[in-house]
Amino acid sequence: MKPGIHPAYGPVVFRDKAACAAFLTRSTAIGTKTVEWEDGNTYPVVDVEISSASHPFYTGTARVLDTAGRVERFERRYGRSGAK
């Protein structure tokens, strides 16, 4: 790799505001705030709105929409359009 053209890659804490969860990983993201982690070290923190801790797909609270029923209801109401 060419030196000097890549962003710094280091440990960062991502904090999910919706679920009050945080996880330590490596990233090129730059946080303006810092937080003291469980290991006693201080790391930059990046606040995110949603993560796997609060996303409905990962938490099991996702709803399945009945798209087939919606199409059938639309066709009943307005008839099937198109040339015959």
Side-chain angles (χ1 to χ4, degrees):
M1 291 193 318
K2 280 185 166 179
I5 63 169
H6 298 286
Y9 183 72
V12 177
V13 173
F14 284 94
R15 186 169 47 192
D16 184 356
K17 291 197 166 253
C20 298
F23 56 94
L24 177 65
T25 187
R26 295 177 53 91
S27 177
T28 59
I30 300 170
T32 56
K33 302 174 190 172
T34 60
V35 66
E36 187 172 333
W37 193 245
E38 300 159 352
D39 61 2
N41 294 330
T42 302
Y43 298 106
V45 64
V46 176
D47 291 325
V48 294
E49 296 295 324
I50 195 162
S51 71
S52 61
S54 62
H55 194 278
F57 178 79
Y58 295 106
T59 59
T61 58
R63 296 183 304 163
V64 177
L65 296 177
D66 181 23
T67 56
R70 288 183 173 191
V71 171
E72 291 168 359
R73 188 170 56 222
F74 178 83
E75 288 178 354
R76 269 197 322 267
R77 280 186 187 168
Y78 303 107
R80 191 167 191 101
S81 63
K84 290 185 178 181

